[in-house]
């Protein structure tokens, strides 16, 4: 069935749509806890360097690949070279792995909305509230089902456009709110230590693990190495500058992550027991610290509800686009109708997501590679499958189709491409070698191999 591909209207349409997919829990929930855990300022520095080099090259490559072929990720590789269609399959695996645990965290957000709405904001600020909540067996599952159920309903009734409209209004408010909260926190007594930790790179905190985590975060946050940007590129009009769009998406995405870090990390120092002890808290960091902030001033609980509602919408648009990706894969491969495909994806995601939801309660003894189950899924997708996809994408573009073809695409209709050199060199040499290296290191980290060829990997 040949359908004409619809395209984004206007210049800003593309950037907004791509940024909408990029901005989500990755920026608000994931970035701050990784930055806290992996050395603060040094993590931020490494992340920014990676974003303007790797992130830039990869995102340009993916969007150009999509626009050039006019195909979604699954088909784009095979379209240019039959032998490479397997990459399409690997790409398809990523959202299948991410959607379930993403929805578990979406469930936590939903739970916190209800906590504030029922007037329990003070309780949420109490020590151990988050740990107690995730340690109950049933509750995280119920919230997970609510969140993923909502996502499925939106897709079933085809109202995702409506949700997008709503979140377009929410997004600027979320940014303002985040700025406001960050300013408030930074001015609190004790917060200065945290600001220093976050903004001043301390090179003694640098480990290979910092780079590994920053790289995984880059893929995750920018929705790279999973075909999303290829699909977006296939909808992009030829007269829009890919380079400029990528720069804008990058600044936007990194800016929001930066602000979220400025909100969460100094709060750890201002409110956390013993400050730095909380830095390694992991996935729960935001849920542990922010309620304390919201409980510390008059009207804070109202800000709390508002904040979690905005984050809820940012998360929902992301989960919708993740689920839609999986549904379209299922439909392409099985020819099923929209509703049945939606049902199958929903059921499958519930099954894959349950272990992540249970990993903090009855299954907290199960620690694959020493991680809780949710972190394990996060690790497999971001630190294993995505790097592999990224390496293959670089090799594919660098040596099979050649960067020239992508550069031509980016320069279509007289558009300029200032960083062509950077692009080619990144894609052909630096990115693949570097990603292979850090991929090896990340496996070492996971398997607790402390030194490799005499290089100290873990601290
Ligand atoms: N980038 C999103 C975030 O920061 C998460 C994400 C990864 C995503 N892959 C995606 C969202 C695909 C939508 C579609 O939260």
């Amino acid at each position: 069935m040949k359908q004409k591909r619809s395209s984004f209207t206007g210049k800003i349409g593309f950037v907004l749509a791509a940024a909408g997919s990029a901005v989500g829990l990755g920026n608000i929930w994931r970035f701050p806890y990784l930055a806290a855990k992996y050395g603060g300022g040094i993590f931020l520095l490494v992340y920014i360097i990676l974003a303007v080099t790797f992130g830039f090259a990869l995102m340009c490559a993916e969007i150009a690949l999509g626009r050039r072929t006019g195909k979604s990720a699954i088909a784009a590789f095979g379209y240019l070279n039959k032998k490479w269609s397997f990459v399409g399959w690997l790409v398809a695996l990523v959202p299948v792995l991410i959607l379930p645990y993403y929805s578990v965290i979406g469930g936590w957000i939903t739970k916190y909305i209800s906590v504030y709405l029922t007037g329990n904001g003070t309780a949420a600020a109490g020590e151990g509230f988050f740990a107690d909540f995730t340690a109950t067996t049933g509750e995280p599952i119920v919230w997970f089902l609510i969140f993923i159920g909502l996502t499925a309903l939106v897709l079933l009734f085809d109202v995702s456009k409506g949700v997008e409209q709503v979140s377009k209004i929410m997004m600027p408010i979320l940014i303002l709110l985040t700025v406001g909260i960050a300013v408030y926190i930074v001015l609190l007594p004790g917060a200065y230590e945290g600001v220093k930790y976050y903004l001043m790179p301390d090179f003694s905190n640098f480990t290979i693990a910092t780079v590994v985590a920053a790289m995984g975060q880059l893929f995750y946050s920018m929705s790279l190495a999973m075909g999303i940007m290829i699909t977006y590129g296939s909808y992009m009009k030829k007269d829009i500058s890919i380079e400029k769009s990528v720069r804008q998406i990058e600044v936007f995405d990194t800016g929001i992550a930066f602000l979220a870090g400025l909100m969460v990390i100094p709060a750890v120092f201002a409110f956390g027991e013993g400050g730095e002890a909380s830095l390694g808290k992991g996935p729960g960091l935001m849920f542990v610290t922010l309620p304390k902030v919201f409980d510390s001033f008059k009207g804070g609980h109202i800000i709390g509800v508002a904040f979690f509602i905005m984050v809820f919408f940012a998360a929902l648009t992301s989960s919708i686009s993740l689920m839609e990706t999986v549904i379209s894969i299922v439909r392409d491969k099985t020819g099923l109708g929209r509703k049945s495909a939606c049902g199958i994806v929903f059921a499958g995601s519930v099954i894959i997501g349950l272990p992540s939801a249970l990993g903090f309660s009855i299954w907290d003894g199960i620690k694959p590679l020493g991680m809780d189950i949710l972190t394990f899924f996060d690790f497999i997708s971001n630190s294993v499958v995505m790097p592999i996809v990224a390496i293959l994408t670089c090799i594919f573009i660098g040596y099979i189709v050649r960067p020239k073809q992508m550069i031509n695409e980016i320069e279509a209709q007289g558009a300029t491409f200032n960083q062509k050199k950077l692009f080619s060199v990144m894609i052909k040499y630096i990115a693949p070698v570097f990603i292979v290296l850090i991929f090896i290191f990340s496996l070492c980290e996971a398997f607790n191999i402390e030194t490799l060829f005499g290089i100290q990997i873990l601290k």
Side-chain angles (χ1 to χ4, degrees):
M1 186 181 53
K2 275 256 178 296
Q3 273 174 317
K4 200 172 169 296
R5 281 187 106 73
S6 54
S7 38
F8 294 112
T9 44
K11 272 205 179 78
I12 198 70
F14 175 77
V15 173
L16 276 182
S21 150
V23 175
L25 292 176
N27 309 64
I28 298 155
W29 154 76
R30 202 172 186 271
F31 183 87
Y33 98 70
L34 289 180
K37 187 167 164 192
Y38 291 101
I42 191 70
F43 180 88
L44 183 63
L45 181 68
V46 170
Y47 183 83
I48 291 175
I49 293 174
L50 290 180
V52 297
T53 52
F54 283 64
F56 171 76
L58 259 172
M59 193 180 263
C60 283
E62 290 197 9
I63 293 177
L65 185 61
R67 194 167 79 175
R68 172 74 223 282
T69 56
K71 302 237 177 296
S72 68
I74 304 272
F77 289 92
Y79 176 81
L80 291 177
N81 188 315
K82 268 257 148 323
K83 285 202 200 100
W84 281 73
S85 16
F86 73 96
V87 183
W89 284 103
L90 266 184
V91 165
L93 183 62
V94 180
V96 173
L97 287 172
I98 292 186
L99 173 66
Y101 82 81
Y102 200 86
S103 303
V104 171
I105 301 152
W108 296 350
I109 305 271
T110 321
K111 150 87 181 177
Y112 272 67
I113 295 178
S114 97
V115 166
Y116 279 94
L117 285 180
T118 50
N120 288 315
T122 304
E127 228 35 74
F129 181 86
F130 177 76
D132 291 346
F133 155 61
T134 48
T136 59
T137 314
E139 248 205 284
I141 294 181
V142 171
W143 292 109
F144 158 58
L145 291 176
I146 292 176
F147 187 85
I148 195 158
L150 271 174
T151 308
L153 279 181
V154 168
L155 285 166
L156 203 55
F157 292 107
D158 213 6
V159 291
S160 49
K161 285 279 162 303
V163 175
E164 239 166 65
Q165 293 302 330
V166 176
S167 80
K168 257 186 208 149
I169 305 167
M170 298 275 192
M171 195 84 92
I173 311 178
L174 176 62
I175 297 173
L176 288 179
L177 210 56
T178 309
V179 173
I181 299 170
V183 169
Y184 168 76
I185 291 171
V186 166
L187 296 175
L188 285 177
Y192 178 69
E193 276 306 305
V195 177
K196 231 169 63 186
Y197 177 72
Y198 183 46
L199 296 184
M200 308 255 252
D202 176 351
F203 288 86
S204 68
N205 283 338
F206 181 87
T207 56
I208 299 288
T210 310
V211 187
V212 173
M215 186 66 115
Q217 172 62 13
L218 183 72
F219 295 143
Y220 188 92
S221 185
M222 295 199 181
S223 311
L224 292 172
M226 54 178 296
I228 289 288
M229 289 299 156
I230 301 182
T231 306
Y232 274 117
S234 74
Y235 295 128
M236 188 191 205
K237 288 207 177 123
K238 295 272 182 194
D239 60 352
I240 292 174
S241 162
I242 293 183
E243 185 178 33
K244 273 199 204 118
S245 307
V246 169
R247 283 289 179 226
Q248 283 164 3
I249 298 167
E250 247 176 1
V251 169
F252 200 66
D253 189 69
T254 310
I256 295 189
F258 172 78
L259 283 173
L262 199 56
M263 176 172 75
V264 172
I265 294 175
V268 172
F269 285 78
F271 295 98
E273 352 74 76
E276 283 176 56
S278 301
L279 287 173
K281 271 238 161 30
L285 189 62
M286 158 182 148
F287 298 91
V288 175
T289 51
L290 289 185
K292 296 191 174 132
V293 177
F294 298 138
D295 201 41
S296 71
F297 61 95
K298 222 169 158 275
H301 291 184
I302 295 173
I303 302 287
V305 194
F307 177 80
F308 281 109
I309 290 177
M310 314 276 163
V311 175
F312 172 83
F313 273 94
L316 190 64
T317 48
S318 289
S319 67
I320 289 170
S321 113
L322 279 162
M323 191 182 260
E324 190 165 53
T325 312
V326 184
I327 289 176
S328 67
I329 294 166
V330 171
R331 292 188 64 188
D332 279 357
K333 295 298 159 189
T334 61
L336 282 175
R338 186 180 178 82
K339 294 213 157 67
S340 338
C342 190
I344 290 178
V345 173
F346 172 75
S349 305
V350 168
I351 294 170
I352 301 175
L354 278 179
S356 294
L358 290 173
F360 301 92
S361 54
I362 50 170
W363 284 2
D364 67 355
I366 304 178
K367 290 259 186 294
L369 302 178
M371 307 168 191
D372 64 77
I373 301 173
L374 189 150
T375 307
F376 176 71
F377 271 95
D378 188 86
F379 174 80
I380 293 294
S381 51
N382 297 287
S383 302
V384 180
V385 185
M386 285 161 125
I388 294 176
V389 170
I391 294 163
L392 291 170
T393 307
C394 290
I395 297 175
F396 183 68
I397 306 241
Y399 299 92
I400 309 289
V401 302
R402 304 266 156 195
K404 188 81 195 102
Q405 259 203 66
M406 294 300 117
I407 292 174
N408 287 345
E409 180 60 43
I410 294 171
E411 289 181 330
Q413 303 200 354
T416 53
F417 188 15
N418 297 324
Q419 313 263 25
K420 269 195 261 214
K421 265 252 125 37
L422 172 74
F423 174 78
S424 298
V425 174
M426 278 318 291
I427 291 286
K428 284 183 83 159
Y429 310 108
I430 304 181
V433 172
F434 190 81
I435 304 173
V436 168
L437 282 180
I438 72 154
F439 179 56
I440 296 172
F441 285 128
S442 87
L443 294 184
C444 291
E445 195 201 355
F447 292 102
N448 251 315
I449 301 169
E450 287 187 12
T451 53
L452 194 68
F453 310 124
I455 303 172
Q456 181 85 17
I457 295 160
L458 303 178
K459 262 228 274 222

